[in-house]
Amino acid sequence: DVKVTQSSRYLVKRTGEKVFLECVQDMDHENMFWYRQDPGLGLRLIYFSYDVKMKEKGDIPEGYSVSREKKERFSLILESASTNQTSMYLCASSVAEYEQYFGPGTRLTVT
Amino acid sequence: GQNIDQPTEMTATEGAIVQINCTYQTSGFNGLFWYQQHAGEAPTFLSYNVLDGLEEKGRFSSFLSRSKGYSYLLLKELQMKDSASYLCAVHPSNYQLIWGAGTKLIIKP
């Protein structure tokens, strides 16, 4: 059964902290994605990766970085968390251009 | 620019039929996805249309017209558990998807 897991369901951090969100998939998918989802807005792509050590900026990469050292693992890093980064963060993976499978999401609150 | 439009919210009655529309304007087109997302949960895949026409999958069907930049998701025999947001997403030209804001569907008894 397809599975994408994320390190935390809920996270509370203070302004200025460095935040790590980790995503792991067990489907041997080449592509992995990080999105954020806010009320009234569609899913917005932060970064994606189509191979190990490869990354591409999405629509809103400012304030974020990513790391993909192993095929199954894709990490999102907030270098210095700010209150406007309070959001739901969703990780997804896919094979080529086919459907994306999502993790359960991490609801991050920055105070 | 690239744009996907869906109604923000729809209400329907248990047992009835509802059609959720999606119109898109994108720089390219390789396919259109529909996802379901229950409140507080991750989106789950419903359907994928590449060619024009209707794809049926149980109570759910999805239609695509590429010339009109238009798709709809048809839900039949509505059940309370169908209360969710329905997301339309277009695959324009690479591995990325362009997402609509989603349609919140409320089912009333």
Side-chain angles (χ1 to χ4, degrees), chain A residues 35 37 45 48 97 100 103, chain B residues 33 35 37 42 45 91 96 99:
Chain A
Y35 294 94
Q37 186 175 35
L45 182 66
F48 74 100
E97 71 275 18
Q100 295 182 13
Chain B
F33 293 87
Y35 281 78
Q37 185 177 25
F45 169 76
H91 175 219
Q96 296 186 59
W99 294 84

Side-chain angles (χ1 to χ4, degrees), chain B residues 5-59:
Chain B
D5 287 314
Q6 308 177 232
T8 302
E9 188 174 293
M10 299 181 69
T11 302
T13 305
E14 191 176 15
I17 299 173
V18 72
Q19 177 175 311
I20 302 173
N21 296 326
C22 170
T23 57
Y24 63 89
Q25 291 176 306
T26 56
S27 55
F29 182 86
N30 287 330
L32 185 144
F33 293 87
W34 283 97
Y35 281 78
Q36 180 190 60
Q37 185 177 25
H38 285 101
E41 297 182 12
T44 55
F45 169 76
L46 286 178
S47 67
Y48 180 44
N49 292 69
V50 177
L51 301 176
D52 291 350
L54 187 68
E55 297 267 349
E56 298 187 73
K57 195 186 288 187
R59 293 190 299 115

Side-chain angles (χ1 to χ4, degrees), chain A residues 67-98:
Chain A
S67 172
R68 194 166 180 201
E69 297 296 318
K70 294 185 178 182
K71 190 175 185 179
E72 69 270 18
R73 199 175 296 265
F74 192 35
S75 300
L76 179 70
I77 303 140
L78 287 68
E79 296 291 341
S80 178
S82 63
T83 54
N84 63 12
Q85 292 179 309
T86 291
S87 186
M88 169 69 90
Y89 289 88
L90 290 161
C91 174
S93 71
S94 75
V95 172
E97 71 275 18
Y98 299 110

